[in-house]
Amino acid sequence: MYKPSVLISFLPILSSALALPLDARDAPVFNITSLSATFPYHGVYGVDSVNSFVDVALSYPDASSASKPILTTTCRVNWPAGTNPGPTAWTPCANAALQFRLPADGWNSTTNFRAEFWEELTPNGAGLDATHYLTSDPGNPSDPNAYMFCIQMGKFNPLTCSLTGPMGESARTVVMSATEESARPN
């Protein structure tokens, strides 16, 4: 029938096929679908005292459901006028199953910060963590990490940022792979 040399040549392929996991799972993905932010703009024609905020819309998988439907929510942090925007503690999103923060170890400036999201999965505190640096780099339009478009329009106006570019002409989505963690990061 077959010679032993032919069967032996298939053994490495067969052992690789058997080594694959039986229940392969894709990493959950969180998507920032929109972002709007307002920050003080220091300078001659800027405004130093403004009610600042970062507001993001997010889609993410419902990890508590077997069918994994996609949920959406919004997350927002605010700073009152006269306060310099900066890192934030964990804050519940509109859907309280998800939390959001701008961590200190990722905050460089109002146009360069890290956003982090947490979805708790189990009563013992395990969950999904997703994070991404959000930057604006007007001097380098080909920077793949420059997701935000920030502009100060006219005299005495704050700096406004979005994911859509000027006049909403280039819609972007920030895709983040989530990792399973045993506890929420501090």
Coordinates of all heavy atoms in Angstrom, one line a residue, residues 45-114:
Y45 N -3.7 84.0 21.9 CA -5.1 84.0 21.5 C -5.8 82.9 22.0 O -7.0 82.6 21.6 CB -5.2 84.1 20.0 CG -4.6 85.3 19.4 CD1 -3.5 85.3 18.6 CD2 -5.2 86.5 19.6 CE1 -3.0 86.4 18.0 CE2 -4.7 87.7 19.1 CZ -3.6 87.7 18.3 OH -3.1 88.8 17.8
G46 N -5.3 82.2 23.0 CA -5.9 81.0 23.5 C -6.8 81.4 24.7 O -7.0 82.5 25.0
V47 N -7.3 80.4 25.4 CA -8.1 80.5 26.6 C -7.5 79.6 27.6 O -7.4 78.4 27.4 CB -9.6 80.4 26.3 CG1 -9.9 79.0 25.7 CG2 -10.4 80.6 27.5
D48 N -7.1 80.1 28.8 CA -6.5 79.3 29.8 C -7.5 78.6 30.7 O -7.2 77.6 31.3 CB -5.6 80.2 30.7 CG -4.3 80.6 29.9 OD1 -4.0 79.9 29.0 OD2 -3.8 81.6 30.3
S49 N -8.7 79.1 30.8 CA -9.7 78.6 31.8 C -10.9 78.2 31.0 O -11.7 79.0 30.5 CB -10.0 79.6 32.8 OG -10.9 79.1 33.8
V50 N -11.1 76.9 30.9 CA -12.2 76.3 30.1 C -12.7 75.0 30.8 O -11.9 74.3 31.4 CB -11.8 76.1 28.7 CG1 -10.7 75.0 28.5 CG2 -13.0 75.7 27.8
N51 N -14.0 74.7 30.7 CA -14.5 73.4 31.2 C -14.0 72.4 30.2 O -14.4 72.4 29.1 CB -16.0 73.4 31.3 CG -16.5 74.3 32.4 OD1 -15.9 74.3 33.5 ND2 -17.6 75.0 32.2
S52 N -13.1 71.5 30.6 CA -12.5 70.5 29.8 C -13.1 69.2 29.9 O -13.7 68.9 31.0 CB -11.0 70.4 30.1 OG -10.3 71.6 29.9
F53 N -13.0 68.4 28.9 CA -13.6 67.0 28.9 C -13.0 66.1 27.9 O -12.4 66.6 26.9 CB -15.1 67.0 28.7 CG -15.5 67.5 27.4 CD1 -15.7 66.6 26.3 CD2 -15.8 68.8 27.1 CE1 -16.1 67.0 25.1 CE2 -16.2 69.2 25.8 CZ -16.3 68.3 24.8
V54 N -13.1 64.8 28.1 CA -12.8 63.8 27.0 C -14.1 62.9 27.0 O -14.5 62.4 28.1 CB -11.6 63.0 27.4 CG1 -11.4 61.8 26.4 CG2 -10.3 63.9 27.3
D55 N -14.6 62.8 25.9 CA -15.9 62.0 25.7 C -15.6 61.0 24.6 O -15.3 61.4 23.5 CB -17.0 62.9 25.3 CG -18.4 62.3 25.4 OD1 -18.5 61.1 25.8 OD2 -19.4 62.9 25.0
V56 N -15.7 59.7 24.9 CA -15.5 58.7 23.9 C -16.8 57.8 23.7 O -17.5 57.5 24.7 CB -14.3 57.8 24.2 CG1 -13.0 58.6 24.1 CG2 -14.4 57.1 25.5
A57 N -17.0 57.3 22.5 CA -18.0 56.3 22.2 C -17.3 55.0 22.0 O -16.3 55.0 21.2 CB -18.9 56.7 21.1
L58 N -17.8 53.9 22.5 CA -17.0 52.7 22.5 C -18.0 51.5 22.1 O -19.1 51.5 22.6 CB -16.4 52.4 23.8 CG -15.5 51.3 24.0 CD1 -14.1 51.7 23.4 CD2 -15.3 50.9 25.5
S59 N -17.5 50.6 21.3 CA -18.2 49.3 21.0 C -17.3 48.2 21.6 O -16.1 48.3 21.4 CB -18.5 49.1 19.6 OG -17.4 49.0 18.8
Y60 N -17.9 47.2 22.2 CA -17.2 46.1 22.8 C -18.1 44.9 22.9 O -19.3 45.0 22.9 CB -16.7 46.6 24.2 CG -17.8 46.9 25.2 CD1 -18.1 46.0 26.2 CD2 -18.5 48.1 25.1 CE1 -19.1 46.3 27.1 CE2 -19.5 48.4 26.0 CZ -19.8 47.5 27.0 OH -20.8 47.7 27.9
P61 N -17.4 43.7 23.0 CA -18.2 42.5 23.1 C -18.8 42.3 24.5 O -18.2 42.7 25.5 CB -17.2 41.4 22.8 CG -15.9 42.0 23.2 CD -16.0 43.4 23.0
D62 N -20.0 41.8 24.6 CA -20.6 41.5 25.8 C -20.1 40.1 26.3 O -20.6 39.1 25.9 CB -22.1 41.4 25.7 CG -22.8 41.1 27.0 OD1 -22.1 40.9 28.1 OD2 -24.1 40.9 27.0
A63 N -19.0 40.1 27.1 CA -18.3 38.9 27.4 C -19.2 38.0 28.4 O -18.9 36.9 28.5 CB -17.0 39.3 28.1
S64 N -20.2 38.6 28.9 CA -21.1 37.8 29.8 C -22.1 36.9 29.1 O -22.7 36.1 29.6 CB -21.8 38.7 30.8 OG -22.7 39.5 30.1
S65 N -22.2 37.1 27.8 CA -23.1 36.4 26.9 C -22.4 35.4 26.1 O -21.3 35.7 25.5 CB -23.9 37.4 26.1 OG -24.7 36.7 25.1
A66 N -23.0 34.2 25.9 CA -22.4 33.2 25.1 C -22.3 33.6 23.6 O -21.4 33.2 22.9 CB -23.2 31.9 25.2
S67 N -23.3 34.4 23.1 CA -23.3 34.8 21.7 C -22.5 36.0 21.4 O -22.3 36.4 20.3 CB -24.8 35.1 21.3 OG -25.3 36.2 22.0
K68 N -21.9 36.7 22.5 CA -21.0 37.8 22.4 C -21.5 38.9 21.5 O -20.9 39.4 20.5 CB -19.6 37.4 21.8 CG -19.0 36.2 22.6 CD -18.3 36.8 23.8 CE -17.5 35.7 24.5 NZ -18.1 35.1 25.6
P69 N -22.7 39.4 21.8 CA -23.2 40.6 21.0 C -22.4 41.8 21.2 O -21.7 41.9 22.3 CB -24.6 40.8 21.5 CG -24.6 40.3 22.9 CD -23.7 39.1 22.9
I70 N -22.4 42.7 20.3 CA -21.6 44.0 20.4 C -22.4 45.0 21.1 O -23.6 45.3 20.7 CB -21.1 44.5 19.0 CG1 -20.3 43.4 18.3 CG2 -20.4 45.8 19.2 CD1 -19.0 43.1 19.1
L71 N -21.9 45.5 22.2 CA -22.6 46.6 23.0 C -21.9 47.9 22.7 O -20.8 48.0 22.2 CB -22.4 46.3 24.5 CG -23.0 45.0 25.0 CD1 -22.7 44.8 26.5 CD2 -24.5 44.9 24.7
T72 N -22.6 49.0 22.9 CA -22.1 50.3 22.8 C -22.3 51.1 24.0 O -23.3 50.9 24.7 CB -22.7 51.1 21.6 OG1 -24.1 51.2 21.7 CG2 -22.4 50.4 20.3
T73 N -21.4 52.1 24.3 CA -21.6 52.9 25.5 C -20.8 54.2 25.2 O -20.0 54.3 24.2 CB -21.2 52.3 26.8 OG1 -21.6 53.0 27.9 CG2 -19.7 52.0 26.8
T74 N -20.9 55.2 26.1 CA -20.1 56.4 26.1 C -19.4 56.5 27.4 O -19.9 56.1 28.4 CB -20.9 57.6 25.8 OG1 -21.9 57.8 26.7 CG2 -21.5 57.6 24.4
C75 N -18.2 57.1 27.4 CA -17.4 57.3 28.6 C -17.0 58.7 28.6 O -16.6 59.3 27.5 CB -16.2 56.4 28.6 SG -16.6 54.6 28.4
R76 N -17.0 59.4 29.8 CA -16.7 60.8 29.8 C -16.0 61.2 31.1 O -16.3 60.7 32.2 CB -17.9 61.6 29.7 CG -17.7 63.1 29.6 CD -19.0 63.9 29.5 NE -18.9 65.3 29.5 CZ -18.9 66.1 28.4 NH1 -19.0 65.5 27.2 NH2 -18.7 67.4 28.5
V77 N -15.0 62.0 31.0 CA -14.3 62.6 32.2 C -14.3 64.1 32.0 O -14.3 64.6 30.9 CB -12.9 62.1 32.4 CG1 -12.9 60.6 32.9 CG2 -12.0 62.3 31.2
N78 N -14.5 64.9 33.1 CA -14.5 66.3 33.0 C -13.5 66.9 34.0 O -13.2 66.4 35.0 CB -15.9 66.8 33.5 CG -17.0 66.3 32.6 OD1 -17.1 66.7 31.5 ND2 -17.9 65.4 33.1
W79 N -13.1 68.1 33.6 CA -12.3 69.0 34.5 C -12.9 70.3 34.5 O -13.2 70.9 33.5 CB -10.9 69.1 34.0 CG -10.1 67.8 33.9 CD1 -9.3 67.2 34.9 CD2 -10.0 66.9 32.8 NE1 -8.8 66.1 34.5 CE2 -9.2 65.9 33.2 CE3 -10.5 67.0 31.5 CZ2 -8.9 64.8 32.3 CZ3 -10.2 65.9 30.6 CH2 -9.4 64.9 31.0
P80 N -13.2 70.9 35.7 CA -13.8 72.3 35.7 C -12.8 73.3 35.3 O -11.6 73.1 35.3 CB -14.1 72.5 37.2 CG -13.3 71.5 38.0 CD -13.0 70.4 37.0
A81 N -13.4 74.5 34.9 CA -12.6 75.6 34.4 C -11.5 75.9 35.5 O -11.9 75.9 36.7 CB -13.4 76.8 34.1
G82 N -10.3 76.3 35.1 CA -9.3 76.6 36.0 C -8.5 75.4 36.5 O -7.5 75.6 37.2
T83 N -8.9 74.2 36.1 CA -8.2 73.0 36.5 C -7.4 72.5 35.2 O -8.0 72.4 34.2 CB -9.2 71.9 36.9 OG1 -9.9 72.4 38.0 CG2 -8.5 70.6 37.3
N84 N -6.2 72.2 35.4 CA -5.4 71.6 34.3 C -5.9 70.1 34.1 O -5.8 69.3 35.0 CB -3.9 71.6 34.6 CG -3.4 73.0 34.4 OD1 -3.9 73.8 33.6 ND2 -2.3 73.3 35.2
P85 N -6.3 69.8 32.9 CA -6.6 68.4 32.6 C -5.4 67.5 32.8 O -4.3 67.9 32.6 CB -7.0 68.4 31.1 CG -7.3 69.8 30.8 CD -6.4 70.6 31.7
G86 N -5.7 66.3 33.3 CA -4.6 65.3 33.6 C -5.2 63.9 33.8 O -6.4 63.7 33.5
P87 N -4.3 63.1 34.3 CA -4.8 61.7 34.5 C -6.0 61.6 35.4 O -6.2 62.5 36.3 CB -3.6 61.0 35.2 CG -2.4 61.9 34.9 CD -3.0 63.3 34.8
T88 N -6.8 60.5 35.2 CA -8.0 60.4 36.0 C -8.1 59.0 36.7 O -7.4 58.1 36.2 CB -9.3 60.5 35.1 OG1 -9.3 59.5 34.1 CG2 -9.3 61.8 34.4
A89 N -8.9 58.8 37.7 CA -9.1 57.6 38.3 C -10.2 56.8 37.4 O -10.8 57.4 36.5 CB -9.7 57.8 39.7
W90 N -10.4 55.5 37.8 CA -11.4 54.8 37.1 C -12.8 55.4 37.3 O -13.2 55.8 38.4 CB -11.5 53.3 37.6 CG -10.3 52.5 37.2 CD1 -9.3 52.1 38.0 CD2 -10.1 52.0 35.9 NE1 -8.4 51.4 37.2 CE2 -8.9 51.3 36.0 CE3 -10.8 52.0 34.7 CZ2 -8.4 50.6 34.8 CZ3 -10.3 51.3 33.6 CH2 -9.1 50.7 33.7
T91 N -13.5 55.6 36.2 CA -14.8 56.2 36.2 C -15.8 55.3 35.4 O -15.5 54.8 34.4 CB -14.8 57.6 35.4 OG1 -13.7 58.4 36.0 CG2 -16.1 58.3 35.4
P92 N -17.0 55.1 36.0 CA -18.0 54.3 35.3 C -18.4 55.0 34.0 O -18.6 56.2 33.9 CB -19.2 54.2 36.2 CG -18.7 54.6 37.5 CD -17.5 55.5 37.3
C93 N -18.6 54.2 32.9 CA -19.2 54.7 31.7 C -20.7 54.7 31.8 O -21.2 54.4 32.8 CB -18.7 53.8 30.5 SG -16.9 53.8 30.2
A94 N -21.4 55.1 30.7 CA -22.8 55.2 30.7 C -23.4 53.8 31.0 O -24.3 53.6 31.8 CB -23.4 55.7 29.4
N95 N -22.8 52.7 30.4 CA -23.1 51.4 30.8 C -22.1 51.0 31.9 O -20.9 50.8 31.7 CB -22.9 50.4 29.6 CG -23.2 49.0 30.0 OD1 -23.2 48.6 31.2 ND2 -23.2 48.1 29.0
A96 N -22.6 51.0 33.2 CA -21.7 50.8 34.3 C -20.9 49.5 34.4 O -20.0 49.4 35.2 CB -22.5 51.0 35.6
A97 N -21.2 48.6 33.5 CA -20.4 47.4 33.4 C -19.0 47.7 32.9 O -18.1 46.9 33.0 CB -21.1 46.3 32.5
L98 N -18.8 48.8 32.3 CA -17.5 49.2 31.7 C -17.0 50.5 32.5 O -17.8 51.4 32.8 CB -17.7 49.6 30.2 CG -16.4 49.6 29.4 CD1 -15.9 48.2 29.2 CD2 -16.7 50.3 28.1
Q99 N -15.7 50.5 32.7 CA -15.1 51.6 33.4 C -14.0 52.2 32.4 O -13.5 51.5 31.6 CB -14.5 51.2 34.7 CG -15.5 50.7 35.7 CD -14.8 50.3 37.0 OE1 -13.9 50.9 37.5 NE2 -15.4 49.2 37.6
F100 N -13.6 53.4 32.7 CA -12.7 54.2 31.8 C -11.8 55.0 32.7 O -12.2 55.5 33.7 CB -13.6 55.0 30.9 CG -12.9 56.2 30.2 CD1 -12.0 56.0 29.2 CD2 -13.3 57.5 30.6 CE1 -11.5 57.1 28.5 CE2 -12.7 58.6 29.9 CZ -11.8 58.3 28.9
R101 N -10.5 55.2 32.2 CA -9.6 56.1 32.9 C -8.5 56.6 31.9 O -8.3 56.0 30.8 CB -8.9 55.5 34.1 CG -7.8 54.5 33.8 CD -7.1 54.0 35.0 NE -6.1 53.0 34.7 CZ -5.2 52.6 35.5 NH1 -5.1 53.1 36.7 NH2 -4.3 51.7 35.1
L102 N -7.9 57.7 32.3 CA -6.7 58.2 31.6 C -5.6 58.0 32.6 O -5.4 58.9 33.5 CB -6.9 59.6 31.2 CG -8.2 59.9 30.3 CD1 -8.3 61.4 30.1 CD2 -8.1 59.2 29.0
P103 N -4.8 56.9 32.5 CA -3.9 56.7 33.6 C -2.6 57.6 33.6 O -2.2 58.1 32.6 CB -3.4 55.2 33.3 CG -3.7 55.0 31.9 CD -4.9 55.9 31.5
A104 N -2.1 57.8 34.8 CA -0.9 58.7 35.0 C 0.3 58.2 34.2 O 1.0 59.0 33.6 CB -0.6 58.8 36.4
D105 N 0.4 56.8 34.1 CA 1.6 56.3 33.3 C 1.5 56.4 31.8 O 2.3 56.0 31.1 CB 1.9 54.9 33.8 CG 0.9 53.9 33.4 OD1 -0.2 54.3 33.0 OD2 1.1 52.7 33.5
G106 N 0.4 57.0 31.3 CA 0.2 57.2 29.9 C -0.1 58.7 29.5 O -0.4 59.0 28.4
W107 N -0.1 59.6 30.5 CA -0.5 61.0 30.3 C 0.8 61.8 30.0 O 1.6 62.0 30.9 CB -1.2 61.6 31.5 CG -1.7 63.0 31.2 CD1 -0.9 64.1 31.4 CD2 -2.9 63.4 30.6 NE1 -1.7 65.2 31.1 CE2 -2.9 64.8 30.6 CE3 -4.0 62.7 30.2 CZ2 -4.0 65.5 30.1 CZ3 -5.1 63.4 29.7 CH2 -5.1 64.8 29.6
N108 N 0.9 62.3 28.8 CA 2.0 63.2 28.4 C 1.5 64.7 28.3 O 2.2 65.6 28.7 CB 2.7 62.8 27.2 CG 3.5 61.5 27.4 OD1 4.0 61.2 28.4 ND2 3.5 60.7 26.3
S109 N 0.3 64.8 27.7 CA -0.2 66.1 27.5 C -1.7 66.0 27.0 O -2.1 64.8 26.8 CB 0.6 66.9 26.4 OG 0.4 66.3 25.1
T110 N -2.4 67.1 26.8 CA -3.7 67.0 26.3 C -3.9 66.4 24.9 O -4.9 66.0 24.5 CB -4.4 68.4 26.3 OG1 -3.6 69.3 25.6 CG2 -4.6 68.9 27.8
T111 N -2.8 66.4 24.2 CA -2.8 65.8 22.8 C -2.0 64.6 22.7 O -1.6 64.1 21.6 CB -2.3 66.8 21.8 OG1 -1.0 67.2 22.1 CG2 -3.2 68.1 21.7
N112 N -1.7 63.9 23.8 CA -0.9 62.7 23.8 C -1.2 62.0 25.2 O -0.5 62.3 26.2 CB 0.6 63.0 23.7 CG 1.4 61.8 23.6 OD1 1.0 60.7 23.7 ND2 2.7 62.0 23.4
F113 N -2.2 61.1 25.2 CA -2.5 60.4 26.4 C -3.0 59.0 26.1 O -3.3 58.7 24.9 CB -3.6 61.2 27.2 CG -4.8 61.5 26.4 CD1 -5.9 60.6 26.4 CD2 -5.0 62.7 25.8 CE1 -7.0 60.9 25.7 CE2 -6.1 63.1 25.1 CZ -7.1 62.1 25.0
R114 N -3.1 58.2 27.1 CA -3.5 56.8 27.0 C -4.9 56.7 27.6 O -5.2 57.2 28.7 CB -2.5 55.9 27.7 CG -2.9 54.4 27.5 CD -1.7 53.5 27.9 NE -1.4 53.6 29.3 CZ -1.7 52.7 30.2 NH1 -2.4 51.6 29.9 NH2 -1.4 52.8 31.5

